[in-house]
Amino acid sequence: MGKVAFLTVFILCTFGNTISQEINSPAHHLKDGTFTNTTGISNNKSLKEIYNWMIDKSREKPNALDFNLVSPNFDLINQAVKGKTITWIGHASFLYQNQELNILMDPHLTERASPLSFAGPKRYTPPGMKLGQLPKIDIVTISHNHYDHLDIKTVQRIAKDNPGAVFLVPLGLKQWFLNQSITNVIELDWWEKYVLKGTTVTFTPVQHWSSRTLLDRNKSLWGGWHFKNSYHSLVHLGDTGYTNDFKEINEKLGSVDLALIPIGAYEPRWFMKFSHMNPTEAVQAFIDLGAKKAIGMHWGSFILTDEPVDEPPRLLKEVMINKFLKEDLFVTLKHGETIALTN
Ligand code: ZN
Ligand code: ZN
């Protein structure tokens, strides 16, 4: 049962196709109501290919490792006059404070990234913050609907504890939230903006797909979230393969002070390259974005793919050195680690 359920999660995430677009609608809006990438190409791995990968006996399955969990800096997070901070909760989940707002990105603070409570990718490093430890939240952003980025229990609890929090979600995902009785939800298309207390939030394209069930493939959009106020800017790239979208984000919205870039879930390349970057591509994304600094995410929390779980940060360091870039410009954090942002 476990294998079947695990396979189901992957199947849900890996179908895709390309269908001609509707005249006069944006190029990524397809005629059948689904979405595609800026290239017009959707992920098209077949069920057979995925199944063969899943059951491949020669496949090296990575072992879980104990990563250090550190306590977030609650003095900094809860101070009366807010500073600028970032806390890595794990995987793609971050708490970002920009003096005016407490923003949660892709919050996942429970055990599994799966539609089933008993099977599917299980967390092997606990979340760096517990649900009860979160400060008052103003904005929650969701990059797309895959289970490792959108966790039903987490968003339900956040909505209950923070009735004033607005959930910013990709186009096509609002109804899912309404079905969970979460009503303070705004869905955005690529390049659409939402402004709150001086911070402009823009939804940006990245290269990926969406799916939570067998029937909703690419029916909701995916993307990155860009935040900018008068003294700080940040982009969270969600889940993405390498794409020209990063250069376009830089051209349209300007370079950012901090980029949160996925660096894990990249092996095997024949399967994952379309939808996940490896550290080499992640460093190129950092350069394309013109970011002053970057933090690597989407590693060390769930076993989703075949690379060793501690490989992404090691390779990231190597790539930075090989490209003669200062290592401290693109770092990884410990689960739960808070850093004060000095721009
Ligand atoms: Zn995904
Ligand atoms: Zn993911």
Side-chain angles (χ1 to χ4, degrees), residues 150 167 169 173-182 185:
L150 174 55
F167 287 76
V169 307
L173 198 52
K174 182 172 178 173
Q175 188 58 49
W176 183 91
F177 280 84
L178 297 179
N179 293 347
Q180 322 309 324
S181 303
I182 300 172
V185 185

Side-chain angles (χ1 to χ4, degrees), residues 55-186:
I55 61 164
D56 183 359
K57 293 251 180 348
S58 64
R59 198 181 143 214
E60 294 251 335
K61 298 208 178 87
N63 296 318
L65 286 178
D66 282 333
F67 287 110
N68 281 343
L69 193 66
V70 299
S71 177
N73 187 334
F74 289 110
D75 290 343
L76 209 55
I77 289 169
N78 294 322
Q79 62 191 345
V81 180
K82 268 190 249 154
K84 298 194 296 280
T85 76
I86 190 96
T87 303
W88 188 42
I89 298 170
H91 202 56
S93 307
F94 286 89
L95 169 67
Y96 168 46
Q97 301 180 292
N98 74 354
Q99 290 184 219
E100 316 295 336
L101 297 169
N102 289 338
I103 298 163
L104 264 182
M105 292 168 264
D106 281 358
H108 190 306
L109 284 81
T110 65
E111 269 292 294
R112 281 186 202 276
S114 164
L116 306 167
S117 61
F118 55 89
K122 192 172 187 248
R123 180 185 285 283
Y124 62 90
T125 309
M129 283 179 101
K130 295 187 174 70
L131 281 159
Q133 294 177 318
L134 292 168
K136 176 186 156 284
I137 299 300
D138 302 293
I139 294 177
V140 180
T141 57
I142 302 294
S143 64
H144 65 303
N145 70 359
H146 285 160
Y147 286 89
D148 55 323
H149 297 257
L150 174 55
D151 181 57
I152 185 165
K153 282 189 196 159
T154 304
V155 293
Q156 280 174 332
R157 172 71 188 270
I158 292 165
K160 185 169 161 268
D161 291 353
N162 300 273
V166 60
F167 287 76
L168 302 182
V169 307
L171 200 58
L173 198 52
K174 182 172 178 173
Q175 188 58 49
W176 183 91
F177 280 84
L178 297 179
N179 293 347
Q180 322 309 324
S181 303
I182 300 172
T183 53
N184 198 5
V185 185
I186 297 175

Side-chain angles (χ1 to χ4, degrees), residues 37-334:
N37 291 294
T38 51
T39 54
I41 300 168
S42 301
N43 190 21
N44 63 356
K45 290 285 168 285
S46 71
L47 173 60
K48 195 162 174 250
E49 282 176 295
I50 298 156
Y51 185 69
N52 286 344
W53 172 67
M54 297 291 302
I55 61 164
D56 183 359
K57 293 251 180 348
S58 64
R59 198 181 143 214
E60 294 251 335
K61 298 208 178 87
N63 296 318
L65 286 178
D66 282 333
F67 287 110
N68 281 343
L69 193 66
V70 299
S71 177
N73 187 334
F74 289 110
D75 290 343
L76 209 55
I77 289 169
N78 294 322
Q79 62 191 345
V81 180
K82 268 190 249 154
K84 298 194 296 280
T85 76
I86 190 96
T87 303
W88 188 42
I89 298 170
H91 202 56
S93 307
F94 286 89
L95 169 67
Y96 168 46
Q97 301 180 292
N98 74 354
Q99 290 184 219
E100 316 295 336
L101 297 169
N102 289 338
I103 298 163
L104 264 182
M105 292 168 264
D106 281 358
H108 190 306
L109 284 81
T110 65
E111 269 292 294
R112 281 186 202 276
S114 164
L116 306 167
S117 61
F118 55 89
K122 192 172 187 248
R123 180 185 285 283
Y124 62 90
T125 309
M129 283 179 101
K130 295 187 174 70
L131 281 159
Q133 294 177 318
L134 292 168
K136 176 186 156 284
I137 299 300
D138 302 293
I139 294 177
V140 180
T141 57
I142 302 294
S143 64
H144 65 303
N145 70 359
H146 285 160
Y147 286 89
D148 55 323
H149 297 257
L150 174 55
D151 181 57
I152 185 165
K153 282 189 196 159
T154 304
V155 293
Q156 280 174 332
R157 172 71 188 270
I158 292 165
K160 185 169 161 268
D161 291 353
N162 300 273
V166 60
F167 287 76
L168 302 182
V169 307
L171 200 58
L173 198 52
K174 182 172 178 173
Q175 188 58 49
W176 183 91
F177 280 84
L178 297 179
N179 293 347
Q180 322 309 324
S181 303
I182 300 172
T183 53
N184 198 5
V185 185
I186 297 175
E187 57 180 20
L188 279 79
D189 200 353
W190 288 338
W191 306 115
E192 286 187 337
K193 294 177 191 300
Y194 171 82
V195 182
L196 184 65
K197 292 186 183 172
T199 296
T200 300
V201 189
T202 309
F203 193 45
T204 73
V206 300
Q207 178 172 294
H208 206 63
W209 76 90
S210 71
S211 186
R212 270 181 98 80
T213 71
L214 287 170
L215 300 172
D216 68 350
R217 188 174 70 237
N218 293 344
K219 285 188 176 172
S220 65
L221 195 53
W222 49 89
W225 290 100
H226 182 281
F227 305 85
K228 190 171 193 168
N229 66 11
S230 58
Y231 40 83
H232 198 253
S233 57
L234 176 147
V235 69
H236 180 284
L237 291 185
D239 233 357
T240 181
Y242 181 75
T243 163
N244 278 335
D245 296 332
F246 312 133
K247 285 181 193 141
E248 205 183 350
I249 292 169
N250 188 1
E251 277 159 24
K252 284 198 172 173
L253 304 176
S255 60
V256 285
D257 296 310
L258 180 63
L260 309 177
I261 300 177
I263 62 169
Y266 47 81
E267 292 287 354
R269 293 309 279 157
W270 67 265
F271 184 6
M272 296 297 166
K273 187 175 172 63
F274 182 85
S275 46
H276 295 147
M277 293 189 286
N278 65 15
T280 303
E281 292 166 325
V283 169
Q284 191 57 49
F286 165 66
I287 294 165
D288 293 353
L289 288 166
K292 283 190 202 150
K293 290 204 167 183
I295 295 171
M297 60 158 171
H298 206 264
W299 68 278
S301 311
F302 300 98
I303 294 178
L304 300 173
T305 50
D306 288 356
E307 77 274 10
V309 295
D310 59 343
E311 186 182 84
R314 276 193 278 117
L315 284 190
L316 174 64
K317 258 188 192 176
E318 276 177 32
V319 176
M320 291 297 280
I321 291 166
N322 291 342
K323 287 190 176 283
F324 303 104
L325 294 164
K326 279 167 74 182
E327 277 176 67
D328 63 353
L329 295 181
F330 193 163
V331 299
T332 53
L333 303 182
K334 293 192 171 79

